[in-house]
Amino acid sequence: MTTVTGVSREGRGRAWGSVPEELSARVPAEQRGPGRERDSVRLLVSRGTEVSHHAFVELPRLLKAGDLLVVNTSATLAAAVDGRIGRARVVVHFSTRGDDGRWAVELREPDGRGTTRARAGGPAGTELSLPGDGRLVLEEPLAPPGRRLWWGRVAGVDVLGLLRGHGRPIRYAYTDRDQPLSVYQTVFALPSDDGAGSAEMPSAARPFTARLVAELVSRGVQFAPVVLHTGVASAEAHEPPYPERYEVPEVSARLINAARAGGGRIVAVGTTAVRAVESAAGEDGLVRAAKGWTGLVVTPERGVRAVDGLLTGLHEPEASHLLMLEAVAGGAAVDRGYAEALRRRYLWHEFGDVHLLLPGVHPGNGPHSEHC
């Protein structure tokens, strides 16, 4: 069994063993047996260094009236498209659309099993053929010296039309088979006016169902929608997040501030929601309407200003997102939670189980506590 022996607070490396392959969630929860739904996953709860185990459908009992869930409404795009460089087959993952019309893309190699493996991008000037007589020309790395993601310009086709007509959801080798795009949409997903969306699903919200949302509302839990269009997640080890487009609407900013003033906890659903809210939060902890690009990287050193808790999936040991978890809940909570997740054989990745990190005080025992 893999065990956790510690976490580097500086993010230079984590002394975890690798996550066992058999702990990868290969299909969505609702496809694992009769009578199962999206919310048929497990919920690990870390409250300080106290850890408890629940079914996700118990979430309404773990929150209290006045708490507020921040949810990302970005819809998932069918962002993987087949292409060619000469005669060589490649798969293009369309990640992020720039303001100048270019796209940040990742090139992948088909692995013969319906998924892909990593491939170096570039060099500049490389031209790819796309369906419908489209052409993609690579121009420069997104963040030198990295060569995984490149800015490229597409000619001959509209990219969003290309994705609708020829794209499919991005899929990695730990999954069993292709799934329809609907499987990768959360209950909160809304189409944007300009057709933008996320290259990969904001997956922390996937277990929510309409029935569960209704129960939360009936118990006095509020929701505040934000938008952050996520890019591809196949990052290199310890690669920090790159800039992404986000929006925190005025009404959501007001809801968050009012909930905090009333003693409610602000729980972000997913690391994307944390990034959006914290990008709009001032040093005084107040959230103000904001939109544009955010390059914010939330670390323990930076801390969090508006978020009290986080509902998220389970992340690989190399993931920079773990620093965000430490910023929200403290390193001890992350260490203990991941040790328990491995011991109890929780499932990883976008179809897997989820982890709720809360301040070190039991719901109903008073207002916000300090983070551990």
Side-chain angles (χ1 to χ4, degrees):
M1 177 177 293
T2 305
T3 58
V4 177
T5 57
V7 176
S8 164
R9 298 294 171 260
E10 292 77 23
R12 290 191 294 264
R14 297 175 185 274
W16 298 21
S18 60
V19 177
E21 188 175 325
E22 65 269 20
L23 296 188
S24 294
R26 302 191 180 280
V27 296
E30 63 272 24
Q31 297 178 16
R32 293 180 204 149
R36 294 177 66 91
E37 297 188 30
R38 285 185 175 220
D39 55 17
S40 301
V41 297
R42 289 189 290 172
L43 175 64
L44 176 74
V45 178
S46 294
R47 190 179 290 112
T49 55
E50 174 192 341
V51 178
S52 57
H53 304 275
H54 306 267
F56 186 75
V57 292
E58 296 176 60
L59 180 64
R61 302 210 312 268
L62 297 167
L63 300 176
K64 60 186 177 67
D67 286 345
L68 181 143
L69 294 172
V70 181
V71 296
N72 186 0
T73 62
S74 178
T76 308
L77 302 175
V81 176
D82 293 322
R84 289 186 178 272
I85 301 176
R87 293 188 174 184
R89 294 178 57 219
V90 295
V91 176
V92 183
H93 289 177
F94 284 88
S95 182
T96 303
R97 183 174 61 185
D99 292 336
D100 60 359
R102 297 188 300 174
W103 281 78
V105 298
E106 179 187 26
L107 303 189
R108 308 273 294 185
E109 288 185 356
D111 63 4
R113 301 190 300 255
T115 54
T116 60
R117 52 178 169 258
R119 178 191 187 282
T126 297
E127 183 172 319
L128 293 83
S129 300
L130 299 173
D133 295 324
R135 291 182 299 108
L136 168 64
V137 178
L138 302 183
E139 295 187 351
E140 59 181 338
L142 178 67
R147 301 183 65 82
R148 181 177 70 96
L149 289 163
W150 282 70
W151 283 115
R153 197 171 295 277
V154 175
V157 292
D158 169 68
V159 173
L160 294 175
L162 174 72
L163 301 186
R164 288 192 295 269
H166 299 277
R168 59 186 179 276
I170 290 175
R171 175 190 160 208
Y172 294 109
Y174 52 78
T175 57
D176 275 355
R177 55 183 177 271
D178 286 343
Q179 300 282 351
L181 185 59
S182 59
V183 167
Y184 291 89
Q185 304 292 6
T186 74
V187 71
F188 304 110
L190 295 171
S192 61
D193 293 339
D194 60 0
S198 290
E200 298 187 27
M201 172 177 55
S203 56
R206 191 182 190 279
F208 284 87
T209 62
R211 179 184 60 195
L212 189 66
V213 170
E215 183 178 351
L216 285 161
V217 171
S218 73
R219 289 175 176 263
V221 176
Q222 303 176 78
F223 289 83
V226 299
V227 176
L228 188 136
H229 296 312
T230 69
V232 295
S234 52
E236 298 169 359
H238 306 298
E239 183 179 357
Y242 51 86
E244 294 167 315
R245 293 171 59 195
Y246 82 105
E247 180 177 5
V248 176
E250 176 68 33
V251 65
S252 293
R254 291 180 181 179
L255 284 168
I256 293 167
N257 294 334
R260 284 186 65 87
R265 296 169 298 183
I266 309 305
V267 179
V269 178
T271 58
T272 62
V274 174
R275 198 180 198 195
V277 170
E278 290 296 319
S279 296
E283 293 185 6
D284 58 2
L286 292 177
V287 177
R288 296 167 176 85
K291 65 186 300 185
W293 290 87
T294 178
L296 177 65
V297 179
V298 178
T299 65
E301 292 72 28
R302 189 269 186 188
V304 288
R305 298 169 178 172
V307 170
D308 299 301
L310 171 61
L311 180 71
T312 182
L314 293 164
H315 303 279
E316 295 287 351
E318 300 85 2
S320 60
H321 287 316
L322 287 169
L323 291 174
M324 180 186 290
L325 271 63
E326 289 186 22
V328 172
V334 175
D335 284 352
R336 183 67 60 86
Y338 272 75
E340 279 291 295
L342 289 163
R343 188 173 72 86
R344 294 291 191 102
R345 304 187 69 75
Y346 277 67
L347 296 180
W348 258 250
H349 303 304
E350 66 267 30
F351 298 141
D353 297 314
V354 284
H355 187 189
L356 176 62
L357 298 113
L358 291 172
V361 63
H362 194 278
N365 284 2
H368 306 282
S369 68
E370 292 184 359
H371 295 300
C372 301

